[in-house]
Amino acid sequence: MGRRRWNKKHPDKARAQQQPRRPEDAADAPVRLLVLQPNSTVVGFAMGTRAVFVDYKTGGQIQLAGPNQPSAADVAAAVAAPGGPHTGTLRVLQFSPDGRFLLTGADDKVVKLWTCAPTAPGGAWHSVAAWRTPKKASAGGFTLNGSHALFADKFGDVLVGCVPAVGSGGAEEASISEPSPQVPSTLLGHFCTIVTGLASSPCGRFMATSDREYKVRISSLPEDPLQGSYEIQGYCLGHQDFVSCIAFAVQPDEHSGEGAAGKVRPSVLLSGSGDGTVRVWDFETCTQLSSYVASAPAAEPEAVARAAAEEEGDAAGAAGGGAGEGSSAPEELGGGEEASGG
C-alpha cells in the first residue's frame, strides 16, 4: 500500500505522525566536521547547524557572534539559544593557513568568513564577509597565502572570494553589522558532479578537487584566482567509487638541515574513497605511488543472496551426484546376477 493511500485510510495515525516531536526527544546531531586552528589550541566541530569551538588547554569556549550583537549579554543569550551561524546543516568548516580566519558553509546556500580575533563583545568571533552560492556548499578551503577563500557547491562549481584585510580595530570592528552576502567569482567547474573535497598544494601552484565521479582533478591555481582556472594538470584515476576526502601531506626532507632554507619540501596527495582504499599520488604527474585497503566495501544484498544460492546449488549438485553414483552399483551388480543366472 502506498503512503498516500495509507494516509487516507488512517487519517488519525497520519496526523499523529506529523506532530512535531518534543525538544527533549530530539537526539543531538552527530559530529560531521572537525578542525584544528593552526598555531593555536582551539579545536572546532560542527553538529547540524551548530559550530562549537573549545580551547582544549583552558577549556574555554569561543562563540560565533550573530548580527548586531552590541553586548556580552546578547552573546550569552545567543549561546544559550538553539541554532548556529547558519540556518542549514554545516558542510564546510575550515581555518585559513595562518589561523586568522574561519570559513563556514551550509545548506542555506551561504558561505561566511569569520575573523578569529576576539573583537566582538564577549570575546566572540564575528563575520567579515559572506557569499551566496547557487547550490548548497559541499567543500571549502583557502589559497596557500590565505588571500582568497575557495568553496564548492553541489552543482560542481568551485567559487572564490577575496579575504578582506582586517586590522586590530577592537571596539570599532565589534560594532560592524554582519555583511550581506555577495556574489562570488567562478574558479572552475566539475560538470554537474558534487565536489567532495578541496585543497591547495603546499607549493601553492595547484589545487586538488575530488568528486563523486571516482576521480581527483589537479588544476593549475593562478596568481589571481578571480580570473579563473583554465588549465588542468591532470586527473588521478584509480578509485572504484566516489572520492570522499583528499589531503596534502608534506614528506620529511632528510637534507633539510644542509643549507636548504626556503626549499619546498616534497609533498604527496592522499585520497580516500568509498571503495575502502586510501591512495597516495604524485599530484604533479597524477601517478599513483601506493595504495592501502582501509576497509572492504560491503557487498550488495542481491550479490550476497546470489552467491548463497550458487553455493547451495553446488552443494545440492554434489550431494545428488554422490547419491547417483551410490545407487548405480546395485543395478550393475543385479545385472551381473541376471546374466550369470541366464
Side-chain angles (χ1 to χ4, degrees):
M1 181 183 296
R3 184 65 181 179
R4 293 183 179 178
R5 293 178 58 187
W6 188 90
N7 290 341
K8 292 181 179 179
K9 189 174 182 179
H10 307 281
D12 297 336
K13 295 182 179 179
R15 195 178 303 108
Q17 291 182 358
Q18 294 176 358
Q19 292 180 357
R21 295 183 178 181
R22 299 174 301 173
E24 56 270 20
D25 294 337
D28 291 336
V31 176
R32 297 293 186 184
L33 304 171
L34 183 66
V35 65
L36 178 66
Q37 184 180 14
N39 307 320
S40 175
T41 57
V42 175
V43 61
F45 49 93
M47 302 174 295
T49 61
R50 297 190 297 121
V52 180
F53 300 90
V54 180
D55 190 324
Y56 62 82
K57 278 193 174 182
T58 63
Q61 189 171 346
I62 303 173
Q63 305 299 330
L64 299 180
N68 301 323
Q69 291 182 338
S71 64
D74 294 334
V75 175
V79 173
H86 293 268
T87 57
T89 301
L90 282 165
R91 305 295 181 184
V92 178
L93 191 69
Q94 188 68 44
F95 282 104
S96 61
D98 56 5
R100 296 176 57 239
F101 294 97
L102 172 72
L103 188 69
T104 61
D107 288 348
D108 57 4
K109 301 181 181 180
V110 175
V111 175
K112 295 183 180 181
L113 183 71
W114 309 78
T115 176
C116 298
T119 55
W125 298 343
H126 74 277
S127 177
V128 294
W131 298 276
R132 176 75 65 179
T133 59
K135 298 293 182 179
K136 299 176 182 180
S138 59
F142 291 85
T143 55
L144 184 64
N145 57 6
S147 61
H148 293 82
L150 310 173
F151 42 94
D153 60 16
K154 292 188 175 181
F155 193 71
D157 292 335
V158 179
L159 310 174
V160 57
C162 289
V163 175
V166 178
S168 56
E172 294 181 1
E173 293 182 359
S175 61
I176 299 177
S177 60
E178 185 173 358
S180 58
Q182 304 296 322
V183 178
S185 301
T186 302
L187 180 63
L188 56 89
H190 263 243
F191 302 103
C192 302
T193 181
I194 299 177
V195 177
T196 58
L198 185 156
S200 299
S201 64
C203 63
R205 297 168 45 218
F206 304 103
M207 182 183 64
T209 50
S210 59
D211 57 29
R212 297 187 64 86
E213 298 296 331
Y214 310 176
K215 67 180 182 294
V216 179
R217 171 177 168 176
I218 308 297
S219 307
S220 296
L221 192 60
E223 295 182 0
D224 185 8
L226 297 178
Q227 301 300 323
S229 176
Y230 303 99
E231 183 178 352
I232 300 175
Q233 181 73 8
Y235 291 93
C236 299
L237 304 176
H239 284 294
Q240 303 301 315
D241 208 334
F242 64 91
V243 183
S244 57
C245 56
I246 55 174
F248 285 97
V250 179
Q251 297 179 346
D253 191 355
E254 298 178 356
H255 306 285
S256 59
E258 300 179 1
K263 180 182 178 181
V264 178
R265 292 188 295 174
S267 55
V268 294
L269 175 67
L270 293 90
S271 62
S273 170
D275 59 8
T277 64
V278 176
R279 301 173 188 259
V280 183
W281 309 87
D282 181 344
F283 58 88
E284 293 193 17
T285 60
C286 296
T287 56
Q288 181 175 311
L289 302 178
S290 62
S291 63
Y292 171 73
V293 179
S295 62
E300 297 181 358
E302 297 180 358
V304 174
R306 192 182 307 112
E310 292 178 357
E311 292 181 358
E312 292 179 359
D314 295 342
E325 293 175 358
S327 61
S328 62
E331 293 178 359
E332 293 178 357
L333 182 60
E337 291 177 354
E338 292 177 0
S340 59

mmCIF file of all heavy atoms in Angstrom, residues 30-37 42-47 52-54 56 90-95 102:
data_model
loop_
_atom_site.group_PDB
_atom_site.id
_atom_site.type_symbol
_atom_site.label_atom_id
_atom_site.label_comp_id
_atom_site.label_asym_id
_atom_site.label_seq_id
_atom_site.Cartn_x
_atom_site.Cartn_y
_atom_site.Cartn_z
ATOM 1 N N PRO A 30 24.998 14.197 14.938
ATOM 2 C CA PRO A 30 26.366 13.676 15.043
ATOM 3 C C PRO A 30 27.385 14.721 14.588
ATOM 4 O O PRO A 30 27.064 15.628 13.819
ATOM 5 C CB PRO A 30 26.353 12.467 14.108
ATOM 6 C CG PRO A 30 25.265 12.764 13.117
ATOM 7 C CD PRO A 30 24.224 13.531 13.878
ATOM 8 N N VAL A 31 28.603 14.574 15.076
ATOM 9 C CA VAL A 31 29.684 15.475 14.682
ATOM 10 C C VAL A 31 30.100 15.130 13.263
ATOM 11 O O VAL A 31 30.556 14.026 12.983
ATOM 12 C CB VAL A 31 30.876 15.356 15.653
ATOM 13 C CG1 VAL A 31 32.024 16.223 15.181
ATOM 14 C CG2 VAL A 31 30.450 15.753 17.053
ATOM 15 N N ARG A 32 29.954 16.085 12.346
ATOM 16 C CA ARG A 32 30.255 15.857 10.945
ATOM 17 C C ARG A 32 31.602 16.442 10.540
ATOM 18 O O ARG A 32 32.261 15.928 9.654
ATOM 19 C CB ARG A 32 29.154 16.469 10.084
ATOM 20 C CG ARG A 32 27.779 15.850 10.275
ATOM 21 C CD ARG A 32 27.740 14.423 9.777
ATOM 22 N NE ARG A 32 26.403 13.859 9.827
ATOM 23 C CZ ARG A 32 26.108 12.604 9.518
ATOM 24 N NH1 ARG A 32 27.082 11.788 9.156
ATOM 25 N NH2 ARG A 32 24.877 12.149 9.587
ATOM 26 N N LEU A 33 31.983 17.543 11.176
ATOM 27 C CA LEU A 33 33.204 18.245 10.788
ATOM 28 C C LEU A 33 34.058 18.486 12.020
ATOM 29 O O LEU A 33 33.546 18.792 13.096
ATOM 30 C CB LEU A 33 32.868 19.578 10.107
ATOM 31 C CG LEU A 33 31.953 19.506 8.877
ATOM 32 C CD1 LEU A 33 31.536 20.906 8.445
ATOM 33 C CD2 LEU A 33 32.638 18.766 7.744
ATOM 34 N N LEU A 34 35.369 18.379 11.848
ATOM 35 C CA LEU A 34 36.319 18.584 12.933
ATOM 36 C C LEU A 34 37.530 19.298 12.363
ATOM 37 O O LEU A 34 38.070 18.892 11.327
ATOM 38 C CB LEU A 34 36.723 17.253 13.557
ATOM 39 C CG LEU A 34 37.656 17.292 14.766
ATOM 40 C CD1 LEU A 34 36.957 17.940 15.948
ATOM 41 C CD2 LEU A 34 38.123 15.886 15.133
ATOM 42 N N VAL A 35 37.976 20.362 13.032
ATOM 43 C CA VAL A 35 39.085 21.166 12.520
ATOM 44 C C VAL A 35 39.883 21.725 13.683
ATOM 45 O O VAL A 35 39.335 21.993 14.764
ATOM 46 C CB VAL A 35 38.545 22.311 11.622
ATOM 47 C CG1 VAL A 35 37.708 23.297 12.423
ATOM 48 C CG2 VAL A 35 39.671 23.022 10.907
ATOM 49 N N LEU A 36 41.180 21.870 13.485
ATOM 50 C CA LEU A 36 42.091 22.422 14.491
ATOM 51 C C LEU A 36 42.666 23.727 13.960
ATOM 52 O O LEU A 36 43.170 23.782 12.835
ATOM 53 C CB LEU A 36 43.214 21.430 14.808
ATOM 54 C CG LEU A 36 44.266 21.899 15.824
ATOM 55 C CD1 LEU A 36 43.644 22.075 17.199
ATOM 56 C CD2 LEU A 36 45.425 20.900 15.891
ATOM 57 N N GLN A 37 42.594 24.770 14.753
ATOM 58 C CA GLN A 37 43.114 26.074 14.341
ATOM 59 C C GLN A 37 44.640 26.040 14.312
ATOM 60 O O GLN A 37 45.280 25.652 15.289
ATOM 61 C CB GLN A 37 42.626 27.169 15.280
ATOM 62 C CG GLN A 37 43.039 28.566 14.850
ATOM 63 C CD GLN A 37 42.547 29.638 15.809
ATOM 64 O OE1 GLN A 37 42.123 29.336 16.919
ATOM 65 N NE2 GLN A 37 42.590 30.882 15.382
ATOM 66 N N VAL A 42 42.883 25.736 19.776
ATOM 67 C CA VAL A 42 41.432 25.769 19.618
ATOM 68 C C VAL A 42 41.026 24.697 18.614
ATOM 69 O O VAL A 42 41.582 24.608 17.513
ATOM 70 C CB VAL A 42 40.952 27.153 19.146
ATOM 71 C CG1 VAL A 42 39.445 27.128 18.861
ATOM 72 C CG2 VAL A 42 41.271 28.209 20.193
ATOM 73 N N VAL A 43 40.078 23.872 18.998
ATOM 74 C CA VAL A 43 39.532 22.850 18.120
ATOM 75 C C VAL A 43 38.054 23.164 17.905
ATOM 76 O O VAL A 43 37.350 23.592 18.827
ATOM 77 C CB VAL A 43 39.716 21.441 18.723
ATOM 78 C CG1 VAL A 43 38.994 21.313 20.060
ATOM 79 C CG2 VAL A 43 39.207 20.371 17.770
ATOM 80 N N GLY A 44 37.602 23.010 16.672
ATOM 81 C CA GLY A 44 36.209 23.284 16.345
ATOM 82 C C GLY A 44 35.536 22.076 15.745
ATOM 83 O O GLY A 44 36.173 21.267 15.058
ATOM 84 N N PHE A 45 34.249 21.932 16.009
ATOM 85 C CA PHE A 45 33.493 20.833 15.426
ATOM 86 C C PHE A 45 32.070 21.303 15.176
ATOM 87 O O PHE A 45 31.550 22.193 15.862
ATOM 88 C CB PHE A 45 33.506 19.588 16.318
ATOM 89 C CG PHE A 45 33.173 19.845 17.760
ATOM 90 C CD1 PHE A 45 31.876 19.723 18.226
ATOM 91 C CD2 PHE A 45 34.160 20.215 18.659
ATOM 92 C CE1 PHE A 45 31.565 19.967 19.548
ATOM 93 C CE2 PHE A 45 33.861 20.460 19.991
ATOM 94 C CZ PHE A 45 32.564 20.333 20.441
ATOM 95 N N ALA A 46 31.461 20.711 14.154
ATOM 96 C CA ALA A 46 30.118 21.097 13.731
ATOM 97 C C ALA A 46 29.160 19.945 13.939
ATOM 98 O O ALA A 46 29.485 18.791 13.648
ATOM 99 C CB ALA A 46 30.122 21.519 12.268
ATOM 100 N N MET A 47 27.971 20.279 14.458
ATOM 101 C CA MET A 47 26.895 19.324 14.680
ATOM 102 C C MET A 47 25.610 19.944 14.165
ATOM 103 O O MET A 47 25.054 20.848 14.791
ATOM 104 C CB MET A 47 26.762 18.988 16.161
ATOM 105 C CG MET A 47 28.010 18.409 16.794
ATOM 106 S SD MET A 47 27.840 18.186 18.578
ATOM 107 C CE MET A 47 27.673 19.898 19.101
ATOM 108 N N VAL A 52 30.892 24.586 17.413
ATOM 109 C CA VAL A 52 31.431 24.781 18.759
ATOM 110 C C VAL A 52 32.947 24.834 18.655
ATOM 111 O O VAL A 52 33.566 24.006 17.969
ATOM 112 C CB VAL A 52 30.994 23.643 19.707
ATOM 113 C CG1 VAL A 52 31.563 23.859 21.108
ATOM 114 C CG2 VAL A 52 29.474 23.551 19.760
ATOM 115 N N PHE A 53 33.548 25.812 19.354
ATOM 116 C CA PHE A 53 34.999 25.981 19.362
ATOM 117 C C PHE A 53 35.467 26.021 20.818
ATOM 118 O O PHE A 53 34.975 26.826 21.612
ATOM 119 C CB PHE A 53 35.398 27.260 18.630
ATOM 120 C CG PHE A 53 34.962 27.284 17.191
ATOM 121 C CD1 PHE A 53 33.718 27.796 16.832
ATOM 122 C CD2 PHE A 53 35.777 26.766 16.197
ATOM 123 C CE1 PHE A 53 33.309 27.804 15.524
ATOM 124 C CE2 PHE A 53 35.374 26.762 14.874
ATOM 125 C CZ PHE A 53 34.132 27.286 14.529
ATOM 126 N N VAL A 54 36.409 25.142 21.123
ATOM 127 C CA VAL A 54 36.859 24.980 22.501
ATOM 128 C C VAL A 54 38.385 25.007 22.524
ATOM 129 O O VAL A 54 39.042 24.402 21.669
ATOM 130 C CB VAL A 54 36.343 23.653 23.107
ATOM 131 C CG1 VAL A 54 36.826 23.490 24.537
ATOM 132 C CG2 VAL A 54 34.822 23.596 23.047
ATOM 133 N N TYR A 56 41.317 23.464 24.064
ATOM 134 C CA TYR A 56 41.468 22.207 24.789
ATOM 135 C C TYR A 56 42.466 22.310 25.939
ATOM 136 O O TYR A 56 42.574 21.381 26.740
ATOM 137 C CB TYR A 56 41.864 21.073 23.848
ATOM 138 C CG TYR A 56 43.177 21.241 23.141
ATOM 139 C CD1 TYR A 56 44.378 20.931 23.759
ATOM 140 C CD2 TYR A 56 43.223 21.680 21.823
ATOM 141 C CE1 TYR A 56 45.587 21.064 23.094
ATOM 142 C CE2 TYR A 56 44.427 21.818 21.158
ATOM 143 C CZ TYR A 56 45.607 21.506 21.798
ATOM 144 O OH TYR A 56 46.803 21.649 21.142
ATOM 145 N N LEU A 90 25.664 22.456 8.587
ATOM 146 C CA LEU A 90 27.008 22.886 8.214
ATOM 147 C C LEU A 90 27.701 21.806 7.394
ATOM 148 O O LEU A 90 27.705 20.632 7.756
ATOM 149 C CB LEU A 90 27.828 23.200 9.467
ATOM 150 C CG LEU A 90 27.533 24.552 10.136
ATOM 151 C CD1 LEU A 90 28.118 24.592 11.530
ATOM 152 C CD2 LEU A 90 28.087 25.693 9.300
ATOM 153 N N ARG A 91 28.317 22.221 6.287
ATOM 154 C CA ARG A 91 29.058 21.324 5.405
ATOM 155 C C ARG A 91 30.522 21.734 5.263
ATOM 156 O O ARG A 91 31.339 20.909 4.832
ATOM 157 C CB ARG A 91 28.411 21.311 4.013
ATOM 158 C CG ARG A 91 26.932 20.958 4.003
ATOM 159 C CD ARG A 91 26.696 19.536 4.460
ATOM 160 N NE ARG A 91 25.265 19.199 4.417
ATOM 161 C CZ ARG A 91 24.755 18.045 4.831
ATOM 162 N NH1 ARG A 91 25.559 17.112 5.305
ATOM 163 N NH2 ARG A 91 23.464 17.819 4.764
ATOM 164 N N VAL A 92 30.846 22.973 5.596
ATOM 165 C CA VAL A 92 32.205 23.487 5.457
ATOM 166 C C VAL A 92 32.630 24.093 6.777
ATOM 167 O O VAL A 92 31.896 24.898 7.372
ATOM 168 C CB VAL A 92 32.301 24.543 4.331
ATOM 169 C CG1 VAL A 92 33.714 25.106 4.239
ATOM 170 C CG2 VAL A 92 31.866 23.949 3.005
ATOM 171 N N LEU A 93 33.807 23.711 7.246
ATOM 172 C CA LEU A 93 34.383 24.254 8.469
ATOM 173 C C LEU A 93 35.906 24.179 8.310
ATOM 174 O O LEU A 93 36.486 23.108 8.459
ATOM 175 C CB LEU A 93 33.922 23.461 9.697
ATOM 176 C CG LEU A 93 34.236 24.069 11.066
ATOM 177 C CD1 LEU A 93 33.414 25.327 11.296
ATOM 178 C CD2 LEU A 93 33.977 23.058 12.177
ATOM 179 N N GLN A 94 36.519 25.315 7.985
ATOM 180 C CA GLN A 94 37.926 25.298 7.632
ATOM 181 C C GLN A 94 38.605 26.587 8.064
ATOM 182 O O GLN A 94 38.084 27.674 7.838
ATOM 183 C CB GLN A 94 38.084 25.115 6.116
ATOM 184 C CG GLN A 94 39.507 24.894 5.667
ATOM 185 C CD GLN A 94 40.056 23.567 6.137
ATOM 186 O OE1 GLN A 94 39.369 22.564 6.061
ATOM 187 N NE2 GLN A 94 41.279 23.555 6.619
ATOM 188 N N PHE A 95 39.790 26.474 8.704
ATOM 189 C CA PHE A 95 40.594 27.626 9.084
ATOM 190 C C PHE A 95 41.545 27.986 7.947
ATOM 191 O O PHE A 95 41.942 27.119 7.139
ATOM 192 C CB PHE A 95 41.415 27.332 10.346
ATOM 193 C CG PHE A 95 40.621 27.394 11.621
ATOM 194 C CD1 PHE A 95 40.236 26.237 12.273
ATOM 195 C CD2 PHE A 95 40.267 28.621 12.166
ATOM 196 C CE1 PHE A 95 39.515 26.296 13.446
ATOM 197 C CE2 PHE A 95 39.538 28.687 13.345
ATOM 198 C CZ PHE A 95 39.160 27.521 13.993
ATOM 199 N N LEU A 102 38.173 31.952 9.603
ATOM 200 C CA LEU A 102 37.400 30.712 9.596
ATOM 201 C C LEU A 102 36.374 30.789 8.485
ATOM 202 O O LEU A 102 35.697 31.807 8.322
ATOM 203 C CB LEU A 102 36.698 30.501 10.940
ATOM 204 C CG LEU A 102 35.696 29.341 11.005
ATOM 205 C CD1 LEU A 102 36.412 27.996 10.982
ATOM 206 C CD2 LEU A 102 34.817 29.457 12.253
#
